[in-house]
mmCIF file of all heavy atoms in Angstrom:
data_model
loop_
_atom_site.group_PDB
_atom_site.id
_atom_site.type_symbol
_atom_site.label_atom_id
_atom_site.label_comp_id
_atom_site.label_asym_id
_atom_site.label_seq_id
_atom_site.Cartn_x
_atom_site.Cartn_y
_atom_site.Cartn_z
ATOM 1 N N ILE O 72 16.840 30.935 3.261
ATOM 2 C CA ILE O 72 17.854 30.128 3.936
ATOM 3 C C ILE O 72 19.024 30.991 4.395
ATOM 4 O O ILE O 72 19.564 31.780 3.630
ATOM 5 C CB ILE O 72 18.367 29.017 3.005
ATOM 6 C CG1 ILE O 72 17.229 28.032 2.720
ATOM 7 C CG2 ILE O 72 19.552 28.307 3.619
ATOM 8 C CD1 ILE O 72 17.614 26.919 1.797
ATOM 9 N N VAL O 73 19.379 30.832 5.653
ATOM 10 C CA VAL O 73 20.522 31.542 6.209
ATOM 11 C C VAL O 73 21.610 30.530 6.559
ATOM 12 O O VAL O 73 21.387 29.643 7.379
ATOM 13 C CB VAL O 73 20.127 32.311 7.481
ATOM 14 C CG1 VAL O 73 21.332 32.988 8.087
ATOM 15 C CG2 VAL O 73 19.035 33.326 7.168
ATOM 16 N N GLY O 74 22.742 30.658 5.930
ATOM 17 C CA GLY O 74 23.842 29.732 6.209
ATOM 18 C C GLY O 74 24.556 30.115 7.496
ATOM 19 O O GLY O 74 24.707 31.291 7.811
ATOM 20 N N VAL O 75 24.967 29.119 8.252
ATOM 21 C CA VAL O 75 25.755 29.364 9.452
ATOM 22 C C VAL O 75 27.038 28.548 9.348
ATOM 23 O O VAL O 75 26.998 27.321 9.278
ATOM 24 C CB VAL O 75 25.000 28.937 10.720
ATOM 25 C CG1 VAL O 75 25.860 29.157 11.941
ATOM 26 C CG2 VAL O 75 23.699 29.699 10.845
ATOM 27 N N VAL O 76 28.144 29.241 9.309
ATOM 28 C CA VAL O 76 29.414 28.561 9.130
ATOM 29 C C VAL O 76 30.121 28.349 10.466
ATOM 30 O O VAL O 76 30.355 29.298 11.213
ATOM 31 C CB VAL O 76 30.340 29.381 8.203
ATOM 32 C CG1 VAL O 76 31.698 28.708 8.085
ATOM 33 C CG2 VAL O 76 29.704 29.529 6.841
ATOM 34 N N LEU O 77 30.415 27.113 10.752
ATOM 35 C CA LEU O 77 31.188 26.790 11.949
ATOM 36 C C LEU O 77 32.517 26.211 11.494
ATOM 37 O O LEU O 77 32.597 25.552 10.464
ATOM 38 C CB LEU O 77 30.446 25.760 12.796
ATOM 39 C CG LEU O 77 29.090 26.203 13.322
ATOM 40 C CD1 LEU O 77 28.341 25.030 13.926
ATOM 41 C CD2 LEU O 77 29.269 27.308 14.340
ATOM 42 N N PHE O 85 29.806 21.731 18.708
ATOM 43 C CA PHE O 85 28.769 21.802 19.728
ATOM 44 C C PHE O 85 29.205 21.236 21.066
ATOM 45 O O PHE O 85 28.404 21.079 21.976
ATOM 46 C CB PHE O 85 27.500 21.123 19.236
ATOM 47 C CG PHE O 85 26.839 21.882 18.124
ATOM 48 C CD1 PHE O 85 26.079 21.245 17.185
ATOM 49 C CD2 PHE O 85 27.007 23.261 18.029
ATOM 50 C CE1 PHE O 85 25.480 21.954 16.149
ATOM 51 C CE2 PHE O 85 26.420 23.975 17.008
ATOM 52 C CZ PHE O 85 25.651 23.318 16.063
ATOM 53 N N ILE O 89 29.020 27.525 24.126
ATOM 54 C CA ILE O 89 28.948 28.890 23.648
ATOM 55 C C ILE O 89 28.450 28.920 22.212
ATOM 56 O O ILE O 89 27.672 29.786 21.812
ATOM 57 C CB ILE O 89 30.338 29.577 23.754
ATOM 58 C CG1 ILE O 89 30.195 31.077 23.697
ATOM 59 C CG2 ILE O 89 31.259 29.106 22.659
ATOM 60 C CD1 ILE O 89 30.028 31.696 25.035
ATOM 61 N N ASN O 90 28.869 27.960 21.437
ATOM 62 C CA ASN O 90 28.427 27.899 20.048
ATOM 63 C C ASN O 90 26.945 27.583 19.947
ATOM 64 O O ASN O 90 26.241 28.122 19.095
ATOM 65 C CB ASN O 90 29.232 26.844 19.284
ATOM 66 C CG ASN O 90 30.650 27.298 19.007
ATOM 67 O OD1 ASN O 90 30.906 28.480 18.852
ATOM 68 N ND2 ASN O 90 31.575 26.360 18.966
ATOM 69 N N ILE O 91 26.495 26.711 20.822
ATOM 70 C CA ILE O 91 25.076 26.377 20.833
ATOM 71 C C ILE O 91 24.260 27.616 21.171
ATOM 72 O O ILE O 91 23.248 27.910 20.540
ATOM 73 C CB ILE O 91 24.794 25.263 21.853
ATOM 74 C CG1 ILE O 91 25.592 24.012 21.481
ATOM 75 C CG2 ILE O 91 23.307 24.964 21.917
ATOM 76 C CD1 ILE O 91 25.414 22.870 22.454
ATOM 77 N N ALA O 92 24.736 28.341 22.168
ATOM 78 C CA ALA O 92 24.010 29.537 22.585
ATOM 79 C C ALA O 92 23.936 30.553 21.449
ATOM 80 O O ALA O 92 22.889 31.160 21.205
ATOM 81 C CB ALA O 92 24.678 30.154 23.813
ATOM 82 N N VAL O 93 25.032 30.720 20.765
ATOM 83 C CA VAL O 93 25.053 31.663 19.650
ATOM 84 C C VAL O 93 24.083 31.221 18.556
ATOM 85 O O VAL O 93 23.269 32.010 18.063
ATOM 86 C CB VAL O 93 26.478 31.795 19.075
ATOM 87 C CG1 VAL O 93 26.443 32.528 17.754
ATOM 88 C CG2 VAL O 93 27.379 32.512 20.056
ATOM 89 N N LEU O 94 24.154 29.966 18.231
ATOM 90 C CA LEU O 94 23.271 29.438 17.187
ATOM 91 C C LEU O 94 21.814 29.626 17.580
ATOM 92 O O LEU O 94 20.971 30.015 16.765
ATOM 93 C CB LEU O 94 23.566 27.951 16.965
ATOM 94 C CG LEU O 94 22.917 27.337 15.737
ATOM 95 C CD1 LEU O 94 23.484 27.959 14.478
ATOM 96 C CD2 LEU O 94 23.082 25.830 15.709
ATOM 97 N N ASP O 95 21.543 29.351 18.834
ATOM 98 C CA ASP O 95 20.169 29.519 19.302
ATOM 99 C C ASP O 95 19.734 30.974 19.183
ATOM 100 O O ASP O 95 18.601 31.270 18.805
ATOM 101 C CB ASP O 95 20.046 29.051 20.752
ATOM 102 C CG ASP O 95 18.604 29.033 21.227
ATOM 103 O OD1 ASP O 95 17.872 28.125 20.802
ATOM 104 O OD2 ASP O 95 18.217 29.936 21.996
ATOM 105 N N GLY O 96 20.646 31.869 19.493
ATOM 106 C CA GLY O 96 20.331 33.283 19.373
ATOM 107 C C GLY O 96 19.979 33.655 17.940
ATOM 108 O O GLY O 96 19.002 34.364 17.689
ATOM 109 N N ILE O 97 20.762 33.164 17.014
ATOM 110 C CA ILE O 97 20.474 33.435 15.605
ATOM 111 C C ILE O 97 19.088 32.913 15.259
ATOM 112 O O ILE O 97 18.264 33.615 14.674
ATOM 113 C CB ILE O 97 21.520 32.768 14.690
ATOM 114 C CG1 ILE O 97 22.923 33.280 15.025
ATOM 115 C CG2 ILE O 97 21.192 33.031 13.234
ATOM 116 C CD1 ILE O 97 24.024 32.554 14.263
ATOM 117 N N ALA O 98 18.839 31.671 15.648
ATOM 118 C CA ALA O 98 17.558 31.044 15.333
ATOM 119 C C ALA O 98 16.396 31.838 15.926
ATOM 120 O O ALA O 98 15.347 31.994 15.304
ATOM 121 C CB ALA O 98 17.532 29.608 15.833
ATOM 122 N N GLN O 99 16.600 32.332 17.120
ATOM 123 C CA GLN O 99 15.544 33.105 17.782
ATOM 124 C C GLN O 99 15.038 34.259 16.922
ATOM 125 O O GLN O 99 13.846 34.541 16.864
ATOM 126 C CB GLN O 99 16.066 33.677 19.095
ATOM 127 C CG GLN O 99 15.944 32.763 20.283
ATOM 128 C CD GLN O 99 16.554 33.418 21.512
ATOM 129 O OE1 GLN O 99 16.277 34.578 21.802
ATOM 130 N NE2 GLN O 99 17.395 32.686 22.196
ATOM 131 N N GLU O 100 15.975 34.922 16.281
ATOM 132 C CA GLU O 100 15.580 36.084 15.490
ATOM 133 C C GLU O 100 15.079 35.689 14.116
ATOM 134 O O GLU O 100 14.144 36.273 13.580
ATOM 135 C CB GLU O 100 16.775 37.031 15.319
ATOM 136 C CG GLU O 100 17.189 37.732 16.576
ATOM 137 C CD GLU O 100 16.177 38.797 16.997
ATOM 138 O OE1 GLU O 100 15.457 39.328 16.136
ATOM 139 O OE2 GLU O 100 16.118 39.081 18.207
ATOM 140 N N VAL O 101 15.733 34.699 13.586
ATOM 141 C CA VAL O 101 15.572 34.410 12.179
ATOM 142 C C VAL O 101 14.401 33.473 11.871
ATOM 143 O O VAL O 101 13.690 33.668 10.880
ATOM 144 C CB VAL O 101 16.917 33.842 11.679
ATOM 145 C CG1 VAL O 101 16.719 32.754 10.677
ATOM 146 C CG2 VAL O 101 17.798 34.964 11.158
ATOM 147 N N SER O 102 14.148 32.506 12.735
ATOM 148 C CA SER O 102 13.122 31.533 12.353
ATOM 149 C C SER O 102 11.699 32.068 12.477
ATOM 150 O O SER O 102 10.848 31.667 11.683
ATOM 151 C CB SER O 102 13.300 30.202 13.089
ATOM 152 O OG SER O 102 13.410 30.384 14.462
ATOM 153 N N PRO O 103 11.420 32.972 13.403
ATOM 154 C CA PRO O 103 10.068 33.539 13.379
ATOM 155 C C PRO O 103 9.782 34.295 12.087
ATOM 156 O O PRO O 103 8.634 34.491 11.719
ATOM 157 C CB PRO O 103 10.066 34.506 14.572
ATOM 158 C CG PRO O 103 11.141 34.026 15.459
ATOM 159 C CD PRO O 103 12.190 33.444 14.555
ATOM 160 N N GLN O 104 10.831 34.700 11.410
ATOM 161 C CA GLN O 104 10.643 35.405 10.147
ATOM 162 C C GLN O 104 10.585 34.430 8.982
ATOM 163 O O GLN O 104 10.700 34.824 7.822
ATOM 164 C CB GLN O 104 11.775 36.404 9.918
ATOM 165 C CG GLN O 104 11.923 37.428 11.025
ATOM 166 C CD GLN O 104 10.666 38.261 11.175
ATOM 167 O OE1 GLN O 104 10.017 38.598 10.198
ATOM 168 N NE2 GLN O 104 10.295 38.560 12.421
ATOM 169 N N ARG O 106 12.725 32.113 8.222
ATOM 170 C CA ARG O 106 14.012 31.695 7.665
ATOM 171 C C ARG O 106 14.514 30.452 8.381
ATOM 172 O O ARG O 106 14.307 30.299 9.577
ATOM 173 C CB ARG O 106 15.052 32.806 7.851
ATOM 174 C CG ARG O 106 15.209 33.682 6.644
ATOM 175 C CD ARG O 106 14.163 34.733 6.639
ATOM 176 N NE ARG O 106 14.358 35.698 5.564
ATOM 177 C CZ ARG O 106 13.721 36.832 5.509
ATOM 178 N NH1 ARG O 106 12.868 37.155 6.446
ATOM 179 N NH2 ARG O 106 13.925 37.641 4.502
ATOM 180 N N ALA O 107 15.184 29.612 7.652
ATOM 181 C CA ALA O 107 15.739 28.406 8.247
ATOM 182 C C ALA O 107 17.262 28.468 8.200
ATOM 183 O O ALA O 107 17.850 29.171 7.378
ATOM 184 C CB ALA O 107 15.242 27.177 7.506
ATOM 185 N N LEU O 108 17.889 27.723 9.108
ATOM 186 C CA LEU O 108 19.347 27.763 9.201
ATOM 187 C C LEU O 108 20.001 26.593 8.479
ATOM 188 O O LEU O 108 19.639 25.440 8.698
ATOM 189 C CB LEU O 108 19.779 27.735 10.670
ATOM 190 C CG LEU O 108 19.342 28.909 11.521
ATOM 191 C CD1 LEU O 108 19.930 28.792 12.915
ATOM 192 C CD2 LEU O 108 19.764 30.215 10.881
ATOM 193 N N LEU O 109 20.938 26.911 7.646
ATOM 194 C CA LEU O 109 21.708 25.888 6.965
ATOM 195 C C LEU O 109 23.040 25.739 7.685
ATOM 196 O O LEU O 109 23.800 26.698 7.805
ATOM 197 C CB LEU O 109 21.953 26.288 5.509
ATOM 198 C CG LEU O 109 22.537 25.214 4.622
ATOM 199 C CD1 LEU O 109 21.456 24.209 4.239
ATOM 200 C CD2 LEU O 109 23.150 25.829 3.379
ATOM 201 N N LEU O 110 23.303 24.542 8.157
ATOM 202 C CA LEU O 110 24.498 24.307 8.949
ATOM 203 C C LEU O 110 25.685 24.009 8.054
ATOM 204 O O LEU O 110 25.714 22.991 7.372
ATOM 205 C CB LEU O 110 24.223 23.106 9.861
ATOM 206 C CG LEU O 110 24.827 23.127 11.244
ATOM 207 C CD1 LEU O 110 24.534 24.457 11.915
ATOM 208 C CD2 LEU O 110 24.256 21.981 12.053
ATOM 209 N N ALA O 128 21.999 34.598 2.894
ATOM 210 C CA ALA O 128 22.999 35.305 3.683
ATOM 211 C C ALA O 128 23.767 34.271 4.484
ATOM 212 O O ALA O 128 23.312 33.139 4.629
ATOM 213 C CB ALA O 128 22.326 36.299 4.630
ATOM 214 N N ILE O 129 24.915 34.635 4.989
ATOM 215 C CA ILE O 129 25.599 33.689 5.842
ATOM 216 C C ILE O 129 26.141 34.374 7.088
ATOM 217 O O ILE O 129 26.492 35.562 7.079
ATOM 218 C CB ILE O 129 26.726 32.924 5.126
ATOM 219 C CG1 ILE O 129 28.042 33.676 5.149
ATOM 220 C CG2 ILE O 129 26.362 32.607 3.712
ATOM 221 C CD1 ILE O 129 29.128 32.906 4.452
ATOM 222 N N VAL O 130 26.169 33.605 8.157
ATOM 223 C CA VAL O 130 26.718 34.074 9.420
ATOM 224 C C VAL O 130 27.948 33.237 9.737
ATOM 225 O O VAL O 130 27.882 32.009 9.744
ATOM 226 C CB VAL O 130 25.702 33.927 10.563
ATOM 227 C CG1 VAL O 130 26.310 34.415 11.864
ATOM 228 C CG2 VAL O 130 24.428 34.689 10.257
ATOM 229 N N LEU O 131 29.036 33.924 9.970
ATOM 230 C CA LEU O 131 30.275 33.238 10.328
ATOM 231 C C LEU O 131 30.377 33.198 11.848
ATOM 232 O O LEU O 131 30.448 34.228 12.504
ATOM 233 C CB LEU O 131 31.470 34.012 9.770
ATOM 234 C CG LEU O 131 31.961 33.714 8.360
ATOM 235 C CD1 LEU O 131 30.868 33.124 7.486
ATOM 236 C CD2 LEU O 131 32.543 34.947 7.711
ATOM 237 N N VAL O 132 30.396 31.995 12.400
ATOM 238 C CA VAL O 132 30.479 31.871 13.847
ATOM 239 C C VAL O 132 31.882 31.425 14.242
ATOM 240 O O VAL O 132 32.429 30.500 13.656
ATOM 241 C CB VAL O 132 29.454 30.847 14.380
ATOM 242 C CG1 VAL O 132 29.627 30.658 15.874
ATOM 243 C CG2 VAL O 132 28.055 31.306 14.053
ATOM 244 N N ALA O 133 32.415 32.066 15.255
ATOM 245 C CA ALA O 133 33.731 31.680 15.747
ATOM 246 C C ALA O 133 34.713 31.581 14.594
ATOM 247 O O ALA O 133 35.393 30.588 14.407
ATOM 248 C CB ALA O 133 33.653 30.346 16.479
ATOM 249 N N VAL O 153 27.660 38.166 7.747
ATOM 250 C CA VAL O 153 27.768 38.688 9.099
ATOM 251 C C VAL O 153 28.754 37.818 9.850
ATOM 252 O O VAL O 153 28.650 36.596 9.818
ATOM 253 C CB VAL O 153 26.401 38.656 9.821
ATOM 254 C CG1 VAL O 153 26.561 39.096 11.259
ATOM 255 C CG2 VAL O 153 25.389 39.517 9.101
ATOM 256 N N ALA O 154 29.727 38.438 10.494
ATOM 257 C CA ALA O 154 30.734 37.659 11.204
ATOM 258 C C ALA O 154 30.643 37.893 12.701
ATOM 259 O O ALA O 154 30.607 39.026 13.162
ATOM 260 C CB ALA O 154 32.128 38.027 10.705
ATOM 261 N N ILE O 155 30.574 36.805 13.444
ATOM 262 C CA ILE O 155 30.581 36.925 14.896
ATOM 263 C C ILE O 155 31.992 36.685 15.405
ATOM 264 O O ILE O 155 32.563 35.623 15.190
ATOM 265 C CB ILE O 155 29.616 35.909 15.542
ATOM 266 C CG1 ILE O 155 28.190 36.178 15.065
ATOM 267 C CG2 ILE O 155 29.700 35.975 17.048
ATOM 268 C CD1 ILE O 155 27.170 35.288 15.701
ATOM 269 N N VAL O 166 29.882 41.351 14.429
ATOM 270 C CA VAL O 166 29.317 41.325 15.775
ATOM 271 C C VAL O 166 30.437 40.858 16.690
ATOM 272 O O VAL O 166 30.948 39.754 16.526
ATOM 273 C CB VAL O 166 28.133 40.351 15.872
ATOM 274 C CG1 VAL O 166 27.678 40.209 17.302
ATOM 275 C CG2 VAL O 166 26.998 40.805 14.974
ATOM 276 N N ALA O 314 26.377 35.479 24.896
ATOM 277 C CA ALA O 314 26.399 34.655 23.684
ATOM 278 C C ALA O 314 25.085 34.719 22.903
ATOM 279 O O ALA O 314 25.078 34.937 21.688
ATOM 280 C CB ALA O 314 26.725 33.219 24.044
ATOM 281 N N ALA O 315 23.985 34.515 23.608
ATOM 282 C CA ALA O 315 22.707 34.515 22.910
ATOM 283 C C ALA O 315 22.448 35.882 22.278
ATOM 284 O O ALA O 315 21.948 35.976 21.151
ATOM 285 C CB ALA O 315 21.582 34.149 23.864
ATOM 286 N N GLU O 316 22.840 36.926 23.008
ATOM 287 C CA GLU O 316 22.668 38.276 22.470
ATOM 288 C C GLU O 316 23.447 38.459 21.186
ATOM 289 O O GLU O 316 22.978 39.066 20.221
ATOM 290 C CB GLU O 316 23.146 39.314 23.486
ATOM 291 C CG GLU O 316 22.076 39.784 24.446
ATOM 292 C CD GLU O 316 20.846 40.312 23.730
ATOM 293 O OE1 GLU O 316 20.924 40.681 22.541
ATOM 294 O OE2 GLU O 316 19.780 40.317 24.361
ATOM 295 N N GLU O 317 24.651 37.940 21.188
ATOM 296 C CA GLU O 317 25.463 38.058 19.977
ATOM 297 C C GLU O 317 24.776 37.360 18.814
ATOM 298 O O GLU O 317 24.716 37.894 17.696
ATOM 299 C CB GLU O 317 26.842 37.448 20.214
ATOM 300 C CG GLU O 317 27.666 38.214 21.229
ATOM 301 C CD GLU O 317 28.871 37.405 21.686
ATOM 302 O OE1 GLU O 317 29.615 36.907 20.829
ATOM 303 O OE2 GLU O 317 29.052 37.245 22.918
ATOM 304 N N GLY O 318 24.266 36.179 19.099
ATOM 305 C CA GLY O 318 23.550 35.451 18.061
ATOM 306 C C GLY O 318 22.359 36.250 17.562
ATOM 307 O O GLY O 318 22.132 36.383 16.357
ATOM 308 N N ARG O 319 21.634 36.792 18.499
ATOM 309 C CA ARG O 319 20.457 37.566 18.114
ATOM 310 C C ARG O 319 20.853 38.780 17.280
ATOM 311 O O ARG O 319 20.208 39.101 16.281
ATOM 312 C CB ARG O 319 19.690 38.010 19.361
ATOM 313 C CG ARG O 319 18.564 37.057 19.726
ATOM 314 C CD ARG O 319 17.796 37.532 20.945
ATOM 315 N NE ARG O 319 18.016 36.620 22.050
ATOM 316 C CZ ARG O 319 18.406 36.975 23.262
ATOM 317 N NH1 ARG O 319 18.621 38.245 23.546
ATOM 318 N NH2 ARG O 319 18.581 36.071 24.180
ATOM 319 N N ALA O 320 21.904 39.429 17.708
ATOM 320 C CA ALA O 320 22.357 40.596 16.939
ATOM 321 C C ALA O 320 22.705 40.180 15.517
ATOM 322 O O ALA O 320 22.351 40.871 14.550
ATOM 323 C CB ALA O 320 23.565 41.237 17.615
ATOM 324 N N ALA O 321 23.365 39.056 15.399
ATOM 325 C CA ALA O 321 23.720 38.569 14.070
ATOM 326 C C ALA O 321 22.459 38.265 13.268
ATOM 327 O O ALA O 321 22.357 38.608 12.083
ATOM 328 C CB ALA O 321 24.587 37.323 14.180
ATOM 329 N N GLY O 322 21.502 37.630 13.933
ATOM 330 C CA GLY O 322 20.249 37.316 13.257
ATOM 331 C C GLY O 322 19.557 38.573 12.771
ATOM 332 O O GLY O 322 19.098 38.654 11.627
ATOM 333 N N ARG O 323 19.524 39.562 13.635
ATOM 334 C CA ARG O 323 18.880 40.819 13.255
ATOM 335 C C ARG O 323 19.614 41.477 12.094
ATOM 336 O O ARG O 323 19.007 42.032 11.181
ATOM 337 C CB ARG O 323 18.836 41.766 14.458
ATOM 338 C CG ARG O 323 17.511 41.726 15.200
ATOM 339 C CD ARG O 323 17.537 42.644 16.394
ATOM 340 N NE ARG O 323 17.903 41.930 17.607
ATOM 341 C CZ ARG O 323 18.913 42.220 18.386
ATOM 342 N NH1 ARG O 323 19.702 43.256 18.095
ATOM 343 N NH2 ARG O 323 19.161 41.507 19.459
ATOM 344 N N ALA O 324 20.905 41.398 12.155
ATOM 345 C CA ALA O 324 21.697 41.985 11.075
ATOM 346 C C ALA O 324 21.361 41.313 9.746
ATOM 347 O O ALA O 324 21.191 41.976 8.725
ATOM 348 C CB ALA O 324 23.185 41.839 11.374
ATOM 349 N N VAL O 325 21.239 40.009 9.792
ATOM 350 C CA VAL O 325 20.899 39.276 8.577
ATOM 351 C C VAL O 325 19.565 39.752 8.040
ATOM 352 O O VAL O 325 19.411 40.050 6.852
ATOM 353 C CB VAL O 325 20.836 37.754 8.853
ATOM 354 C CG1 VAL O 325 20.090 37.042 7.743
ATOM 355 C CG2 VAL O 325 22.230 37.190 9.011
ATOM 356 N N LEU O 326 18.596 39.849 8.921
ATOM 357 C CA LEU O 326 17.266 40.282 8.485
ATOM 358 C C LEU O 326 17.322 41.676 7.899
ATOM 359 O O LEU O 326 16.688 41.959 6.878
ATOM 360 C CB LEU O 326 16.298 40.234 9.668
ATOM 361 C CG LEU O 326 16.023 38.830 10.219
ATOM 362 C CD1 LEU O 326 15.133 38.909 11.445
ATOM 363 C CD2 LEU O 326 15.409 37.952 9.149
ATOM 364 N N ARG H 80 13.899 23.592 20.542
ATOM 365 C CA ARG H 80 14.708 24.641 19.956
ATOM 366 C C ARG H 80 16.172 24.261 20.109
ATOM 367 O O ARG H 80 16.541 23.395 20.897
ATOM 368 C CB ARG H 80 14.419 25.979 20.616
ATOM 369 C CG ARG H 80 14.607 25.965 22.121
ATOM 370 C CD ARG H 80 14.139 27.266 22.687
ATOM 371 N NE ARG H 80 15.183 28.256 22.583
ATOM 372 C CZ ARG H 80 15.419 29.191 23.499
ATOM 373 N NH1 ARG H 80 14.644 29.251 24.569
ATOM 374 N NH2 ARG H 80 16.374 30.040 23.347
ATOM 375 N N VAL H 81 16.978 24.930 19.321
ATOM 376 C CA VAL H 81 18.393 24.611 19.257
ATOM 377 C C VAL H 81 19.022 24.449 20.645
ATOM 378 O O VAL H 81 19.680 23.454 20.948
ATOM 379 C CB VAL H 81 19.157 25.719 18.493
ATOM 380 C CG1 VAL H 81 20.651 25.480 18.576
ATOM 381 C CG2 VAL H 81 18.693 25.761 17.052
ATOM 382 N N LEU H 82 18.787 25.427 21.482
ATOM 383 C CA LEU H 82 19.436 25.445 22.795
ATOM 384 C C LEU H 82 19.128 24.187 23.592
ATOM 385 O O LEU H 82 19.982 23.627 24.270
ATOM 386 C CB LEU H 82 18.961 26.676 23.574
ATOM 387 C CG LEU H 82 19.753 27.021 24.822
ATOM 388 C CD1 LEU H 82 21.203 27.307 24.474
ATOM 389 C CD2 LEU H 82 19.143 28.210 25.529
ATOM 390 N N LEU H 110 18.775 23.037 9.417
ATOM 391 C CA LEU H 110 18.331 22.789 10.778
ATOM 392 C C LEU H 110 16.889 23.243 10.959
ATOM 393 O O LEU H 110 16.595 24.424 10.904
ATOM 394 C CB LEU H 110 19.251 23.562 11.721
ATOM 395 C CG LEU H 110 19.608 22.927 13.041
ATOM 396 C CD1 LEU H 110 20.060 21.498 12.833
ATOM 397 C CD2 LEU H 110 20.699 23.740 13.703
#
Side-chain angles (χ1 to χ4, degrees):
Chain O
I72 294 179
V73 177
V75 178
V76 177
L77 298 170
F85 291 152
I89 198 90
N90 287 330
I91 300 178
V93 168
L94 191 65
D95 188 74
I97 301 174
Q99 273 177 48
E100 290 289 334
V101 143
S102 51
Q104 303 299 323
R106 264 83 174 193
L108 297 184
L109 190 77
L110 216 49
I129 86 180
V130 180
L131 272 25
V132 176
V153 175
I155 299 183
V166 173
E316 270 305 339
E317 294 166 51
R319 265 181 247 128
R323 263 178 265 123
V325 163
L326 295 176
Chain H
R80 56 187 277 217
V81 173
L82 193 60
L110 217 49

